[in-house]
């Protein structure tokens, strides 16, 4: 892919990219990719009393990676990061308060990080007159579709033309940021792209998201089985009393808490994060900025995820191991997400490389190994 842009960094010298949210799941995968592509990477990290670099610890010694302090909600800190790195040619805005359930409890903080943060970057780019020199990526989300879908006679789906009907403070903030990207593209000619990414997961996924919560639990439960020398087949139905919070097995003292979940009837289009960051990069290599849906095109319920994940430890009656707990239900739910990635396939030549089964197995195996 050749660089046809006007910016000075599109000469043979090393390209520089700025990533907000580098300590998150996607930021860490994107940093892996850009460093592999020989970029200089500037990662914006907010100050914290604890170490948040766990996901990028394997990169910390890399001479092409520089971490700088900055908070996306604070205009001046973003302005200064950009001012000090005016030779950067790509800016990936991945920082957000990304947990949907948490956004109902903290709508203002979610708004600040998820919407205002995007505005802060866009405004700083224009204030520093960098709009013709830097390309911008915004992490938009399939949550923006909420309860909205189109139908192709065969099934429901969402694509770039589907209208948004957001169902959470998080999704509303993402919709507003998405519109800001369109505005800055039109008003200032900024090369700005928004990736409308459907759920993507992997071993680096935050532990409060449903997929990782399930695979983490399986990892710990497997360890409990091993510690007590029990085979899954030895856990009889009587040990799994429906009204009981704990899992017991005959002949052992120790018990194990059941997995507590909320609504397991929602459907998601789950892909692998490592595949999806390639699409982010590809968007910024195009001649013009645009919006793209990134997804697998398949939708599975949380029940199906549970079925597949428990299969990895040879348990088929997974419903005996979980409790549906009202505290994990949301005031409003997104029931069904299934994307269509036709545009990404034809324009970016991108396609997902990891199947649903491979994704679940990868996550369970990781959590078994690391429990
Ligand atoms: P994540 O793991 O929750 O990471 C979020 C990142 O944002 C973390 O690095 C976090 O830093 C950073 N951050 C939060 N508030 C900040 C602030 N005020 N200033 C600076 N940094 C801040 O999320 P992810 O799964 O990687 O997702 C990346 C982006 O894609 C997010 O914008 C998310 O909303 C969006 N998205 C994700 C998915 C998905 O399925 N994963 C799908 C669609 C869109 P700390 O480490 O300090 O907390
Ligand atoms: O894993 P989740 O929390 O992901 P959700 O809400 O779909 O959001 C994720 O994907 C979005 C893309 O569509 C991103 F924009 C967003 O940043 C985030 O990465 O929940 C998935 C489903 C929901 O229907 C939820 O109600 O799982 C259901 N669920 C059931 N029990 C649960 C639980 N979710 C969580 N987090 N924890 C549970 O115990």
């Amino acid at each position: 892919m050749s660089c046809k842009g006007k910016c000075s960094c599109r000469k043979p010298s090393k390209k520089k990219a700025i990533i907000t949210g580098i300590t998150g799941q996607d930021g860490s995968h994107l940093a892996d990719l850009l460093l592999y592509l020989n970029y200089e990477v500037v990662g914006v990290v907010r100050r914290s009393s604890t170490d948040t670099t766990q996901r990028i610890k394997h990169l910390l010694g890399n001479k092409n990676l520089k971490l700088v302090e900055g908070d996306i909600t604070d205009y001046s800190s973003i302005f200064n990061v950009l001012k000090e790195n005016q030779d950067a040619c790509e800016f990936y805005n991945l920082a957000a308060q990304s947990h949907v359930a948490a956004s109902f409890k903290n709508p203002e903080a979610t708004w600040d990080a998820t919407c205002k943060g995007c505005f802060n970057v866009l405004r700083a780019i224009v204030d520093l007159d960098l709009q013709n020199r830097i390309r911008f990526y915004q992490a938009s989300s399939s949550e923006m579709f909420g309860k909205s879908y189109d139908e192709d006679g065969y099934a429901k789906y969402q694509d770039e033309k589907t209208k948004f009907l957001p169902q959470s403070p998080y999704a509303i903030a993402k919709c507003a940021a998405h519109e800001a990207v369109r505005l800055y593209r039109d008003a200032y000619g900024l090369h700005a792209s928004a990736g409308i990414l459907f759920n993507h997961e992997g071993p680096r996924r935050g532990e409060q998201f449903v997929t990782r919560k399930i695979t983490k639990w399986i990892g710990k439960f497997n360890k409990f089985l091993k510690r007590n020398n029990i085979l899954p087949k030895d856990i009889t139905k009587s040990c799994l009393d429906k009204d009981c919070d704990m899992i017991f097995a005959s002949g052992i003292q120790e018990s194990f808490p059941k997995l507590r979940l909320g609504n397991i009837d929602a459907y998601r289009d789950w892909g692998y994060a490592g595949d999806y960051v390639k699409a982010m990069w590809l968007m910024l290599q195009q001649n013009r900025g645009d919006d793209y849906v990134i997804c697998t095109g398949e939708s599975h319920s949380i029940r199906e995820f549970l079925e597949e994940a428990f299969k990895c430890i040879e348990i088929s009656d997974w419903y005996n191991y979980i409790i549906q707990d009202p505290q994990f239900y949301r005031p409003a739910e997104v029931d069904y997400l299934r994307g269509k990635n036709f545009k990404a396939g034809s324009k970016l030549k991108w396609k997902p490389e990891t199947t649903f089964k491979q994704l679940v197995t990868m996550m369970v195996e990781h959590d078994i190994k690391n429990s």
Side-chain angles (χ1 to χ4, degrees):
M1 236 152 292
S2 65
C3 302
K4 296 196 178 103
K6 290 182 196 146
C7 57
S8 54
C9 69
R10 286 173 193 282
K11 288 177 190 154
S13 63
K14 234 186 230 329
K15 286 185 176 185
K16 186 191 269 192
I18 303 172
I19 306 177
T20 68
I22 192 167
T23 55
Q25 171 189 249
D26 292 6
S28 68
H29 281 290
L30 182 63
D32 285 345
L33 175 68
L34 296 182
L35 290 167
Y36 171 77
L37 293 173
N38 207 25
Y39 277 61
E40 262 181 71
V41 173
V42 176
V44 183
V45 180
R46 60 176 162 169
R47 206 206 73 79
S48 167
S49 59
T50 53
D51 183 14
T52 56
T53 58
Q54 190 61 20
R55 292 187 180 99
I56 49 168
K57 69 171 187 303
H58 60 291
L59 299 175
L60 290 180
N62 191 313
K63 66 175 180 6
N64 289 326
L65 172 68
K66 190 166 91 185
L67 297 183
V68 296
E69 208 172 289
D71 191 310
I72 193 80
T73 63
D74 174 36
Y75 175 74
S76 60
S77 75
I78 296 306
F79 179 88
N80 288 333
V81 169
L82 263 165
K83 192 168 173 218
E84 279 152 30
N85 294 284
Q86 294 194 37
D87 54 338
C89 57
E90 293 172 10
F91 194 114
Y92 296 87
N93 184 39
L94 308 186
Q97 190 301 96
S98 75
H99 200 269
V100 174
S103 79
F104 284 99
K105 293 188 176 120
N106 306 299
E108 283 118 346
T110 301
W111 178 263
D112 285 354
T114 309
C115 176
K116 190 179 147 198
C118 175
F119 261 111
N120 284 341
V121 180
L122 293 169
R123 205 184 121 202
I125 288 174
V126 171
D127 287 352
L128 285 160
D129 204 18
L130 297 174
Q131 63 273 18
N132 296 317
R133 309 227 307 261
I134 199 159
R135 296 178 175 196
F136 177 78
Y137 173 85
Q138 166 64 11
S140 286
S141 165
S142 54
E143 279 293 311
M144 301 190 305
F145 296 119
K147 285 200 182 299
S148 170
Y149 56 84
D150 290 307
E151 268 176 301
D152 58 10
Y154 149 71
K156 298 189 267 187
Y157 71 90
Q158 292 93 4
D159 70 6
E160 293 82 2
K161 293 198 183 80
T162 307
K163 74 174 172 51
F164 299 141
L165 192 55
Q167 296 297 313
S168 65
Y170 166 80
I172 290 170
K174 281 288 183 192
C175 283
H178 187 79
E179 288 299 324
V181 174
R182 178 195 51 75
L183 177 66
Y184 274 66
R185 189 195 294 145
D186 295 347
Y188 298 100
L190 176 65
H191 188 300
S193 290
I196 307 174
L197 270 53
F198 283 61
N199 299 49
H200 45 280
E201 323 288 313
R204 300 185 197 174
R205 185 57 146 153
E207 292 173 16
Q208 290 177 327
F209 297 94
V210 75
T211 55
R212 190 74 200 290
K213 186 170 165 183
I214 294 168
T215 62
K216 260 301 242 198
W217 185 93
I218 290 181
K220 288 188 181 150
F221 182 61
N222 186 65
K223 191 174 173 190
F224 159 79
L225 295 179
K226 293 263 144 33
R227 191 168 55 237
N228 289 292
N229 242 333
I230 320 164
L231 293 173
K233 68 173 173 52
D234 298 333
I235 299 182
T236 58
K237 233 187 154 96
S238 60
C239 308
L240 295 166
D241 186 337
K242 260 211 161 345
D243 303 322
C244 181
D245 280 10
M246 306 298 285
I247 297 162
F248 297 95
S250 46
I252 62 153
Q253 294 290 317
E254 203 183 345
S255 58
F256 195 84
K258 288 185 182 175
L259 169 60
R260 304 186 87 86
L261 294 173
N263 172 25
I264 57 172
D265 293 309
Y267 280 76
R268 289 291 181 273
D269 179 330
W270 279 298
Y272 172 50
D275 294 345
Y276 284 34
V277 296
K278 292 178 191 156
M280 298 177 187
W281 176 77
L282 282 167
M283 285 177 215
L284 297 204
Q285 313 314 308
Q286 305 306 304
N287 288 334
R288 45 182 294 279
D290 205 345
D291 301 334
Y292 297 89
V293 157
I294 301 299
C295 59
T296 69
E298 262 185 43
S299 190
H300 295 274
S301 65
I302 292 139
R303 287 177 186 275
E304 287 166 336
F305 192 98
L306 284 159
E307 176 94 32
E308 204 61 54
F310 273 83
K311 230 191 257 171
C312 300
I313 54 165
E314 291 165 26
I315 288 177
S316 54
D317 59 339
W318 55 267
Y319 37 83
N320 285 322
Y321 294 76
I322 70 155
I323 286 192
Q324 285 190 268
D325 183 337
Q327 71 162 303
F328 296 112
Y329 282 78
R330 297 172 184 180
E333 180 61 280
V334 172
D335 300 311
Y336 186 87
L337 291 174
R338 181 176 77 90
K340 267 200 184 171
N341 57 23
F342 178 76
K343 184 173 173 183
S346 62
K347 298 220 160 144
L348 304 178
K349 310 288 176 232
W350 178 89
K351 60 173 179 10
E353 288 161 35
T354 312
T355 65
F356 175 68
K357 192 180 169 60
Q358 284 168 338
L359 174 68
V360 179
T361 308
M362 177 201 313
M363 293 177 73
V364 173
E365 282 177 355
H366 171 89
D367 284 331
I368 285 181
K369 193 168 162 218
N370 292 285
S371 287

